[in-house]
Structure formats: structure tokens, C-alpha cells
Amino acid sequence: MPSENPQPAFVLVRPQMGENIGAAARAMWNFGLDRLRIVAPRDGWPNPKAVAMSSGAGRLLDEAQLCDDLPDALSDCTFVFATTARQRGLTKPVMSPEAAMQLAAEKIAAGEKIAVLFGPERAGLENEDIAKANAIISVPVNPEYASLNLGQCVLLVAYEWMRRVGDVVHESTDLGKGDWATGQEVEKLVEHYEERLEEAGFFYPPAKAANMKLNLRNLWSRMRMTRADVQMLHGIMRQMVRWKERGGE
């Protein structure tokens, strides 16, 4: 059974190759979408090539709604987006995938049922198909090569859906088994380096020493360190001192 998460239905209109249907299902499942509708696939249904290409997303194909025509596929929908890269001469709102999925999320939250149409690989949706949509999704692509593979187009729209409703972490740091160094640990490191550099005569001339120490502390503060980093830097300084005491040149 499809998941309980509210989401748009992705409608593949007259898809031609089973491999592309499988790629579309895989792209949907990558981003947690599983409401797939297939309208009049050229090579019939089910299609073993679609299953092979779905790579673990076969459940979407098993549960896909097979429709004879587009009105059947859209019978329960209240708002429809159509994806196209070409100017169609039809008066409709044209939205980026990002803006479209933001609107879709708002409408679904209000209880509406949303569909996104994707056309056949060779020429995309016909004007007759797009006339049934409320708005157009246009992907900003190279105008000299605007053709997108069906799976790619599905992936782009599905990704924008996830960005709207998912808990997307835009930046993180993998600490492995370590932890960030505490303020106290960093302060001990600063003191260690200042003491040893003072002994080595680094802070010269005396009139500039205070400003040099300030700049050094500022350097440490710009380097967010783990406890392992701090321990390594302590070790580097201790080894340098030992080497010098042994008469190193």
C-alpha cells in the first residue's frame, strides 16, 4: 500500500520505454514519493524492463495506478502541474520546480489532491495534455539542449518536494568517533602555545607582543577543532620542544 504521507501523485503520460518508467519510480522513491500513475504505456504493462531499472523501488511499480487516459488519471485531483521545457502558447502560470512544489505542499496541507504530469520521452506532453493542467513547471535548463530524460525530470521535481516538506540538513560535519573541543580545552591549547612561543622569543618586538597574541588567539577561534585536533596540536608543540632540548637544529 502507498505510504500515509500526504504527497502529490506523479503521472507518467504515455511513457515509451520500460527502463524510463523504472528510473522514474526509483527517483520518486529516493525522495519518499510512492503515488505513481501510468497512462497508456506504449509497451504495455507490467513491463519487466521497468522492474529491472527500478533497483529496489519495484513496490511503486506493483502499486502503480494504470490508467487508460489522462482524464481517468486526474479524476480525483483538484490541482494539476504539467512539466514542459517548450513554450506552448497557452496562458498558464509557469513556475520553477521549487515554486511549484512549495505551492503543492501548501495545497496538500489544505486537503487538496495534487498531480504532476510528465510526458513521453520523445516529444513531451501534447498541448491537449497541458490544457488539462492548472500550471506549468519549467525546469531552467540550457536552452540549446532543453531535453530532459523522463527519470531526470522526475528526480528534479521529487527533490524539490523533499526540500519543501523534508527535514533537509543543508550542512553538517561528520565527527566520526570524536567530539568538538570545549572552550576550556581550546584555552589550555592557546596558553600552551603562548608560553612556548614566549620562551622561543616569537613575540618580538615587545611593543607588538600584545597584538601578536591577540591575532594568534583570533586564529585559534577561526579553527573549530575537535578534541583530537587539540591533543594533536599539544603533541606537536611538546615534540618540537623536546627536539630543541635534545639539540635539534
Side-chain angles (χ1 to χ4, degrees):
M1 294 292 292
S3 65
E4 296 297 325
N5 298 328
Q7 59 182 263
F10 278 25
V11 183
L12 310 186
V13 182
R14 300 182 299 279
Q16 296 169 328
M17 297 178 62
E19 292 91 340
N20 286 332
I21 299 173
R26 180 177 181 177
M28 289 176 63
W29 194 227
N30 281 150
F31 297 102
L33 291 163
D34 61 0
R35 310 288 172 82
L36 177 61
R37 301 179 184 183
I38 304 173
V39 178
R42 183 191 66 183
D43 296 337
W45 197 255
N47 188 316
K49 292 182 179 179
V51 176
M53 191 66 183
S54 66
S55 186
R59 178 179 69 81
L60 274 69
L61 302 177
D62 293 339
E63 298 171 355
Q65 180 180 335
L66 184 63
C67 306
D68 293 329
D69 53 34
L70 190 53
D72 180 28
L74 302 179
S75 62
D76 63 339
C77 297
T78 60
F79 196 95
V80 177
F81 296 95
T83 59
T84 181
R86 295 187 286 122
Q87 297 294 326
R88 298 299 186 137
L90 299 173
T91 302
K92 290 184 185 294
V94 179
M95 311 178 76
S96 68
E98 181 179 10
M101 290 302 95
Q102 178 62 48
L103 180 60
E106 293 169 1
K107 288 184 174 296
I108 288 173
E112 295 198 48
K113 291 188 176 182
I114 308 300
V116 183
L117 308 183
F118 300 88
E121 296 89 321
R122 181 170 298 175
L125 294 166
E126 301 290 342
N127 276 7
E128 184 178 328
D129 304 320
I130 295 174
K132 296 178 174 62
N134 303 100
I136 289 172
I137 297 175
S138 180
V139 178
V141 294
N142 177 5
E144 296 181 5
Y145 189 65
S147 177
L148 282 176
N149 174 273
L150 174 59
Q152 293 173 325
C153 191
V154 169
L155 183 77
L156 283 168
V157 178
Y159 168 69
E160 290 299 343
W161 170 259
M162 175 61 76
R163 289 187 64 208
R164 303 278 71 77
V165 303
D167 186 15
V168 178
V169 178
H170 292 283
E171 182 177 349
S172 64
T173 301
D174 186 357
L175 288 173
K177 296 180 180 180
D179 295 308
W180 291 117
T182 65
Q184 183 181 34
E185 289 165 338
V186 174
E187 182 63 24
K188 292 294 184 183
L189 179 67
V190 172
E191 292 173 357
H192 184 190
Y193 269 69
E194 283 189 0
E195 290 171 3
R196 296 308 186 188
L197 291 172
E198 188 83 61
E199 293 172 2
F202 176 77
F203 299 113
Y204 183 86
K208 295 184 177 180
N211 195 52
M212 292 174 71
K213 291 180 180 180
L214 179 64
N215 288 338
L216 184 59
R217 283 179 173 266
N218 190 51
L219 182 150
W220 293 121
S221 70
R222 295 201 309 270
M223 297 168 51
R224 193 177 186 195
M225 294 178 287
T226 65
R227 288 178 170 172
D229 295 332
V230 169
Q231 291 167 3
M232 182 181 67
L233 289 167
H234 275 300
I236 289 172
M237 180 56 79
R238 282 192 291 265
Q239 189 61 28
M240 291 175 67
V241 171
R242 293 190 191 107
W243 174 76
K244 183 64 177 177
E245 290 174 346
R246 290 196 301 265
E249 294 293 341

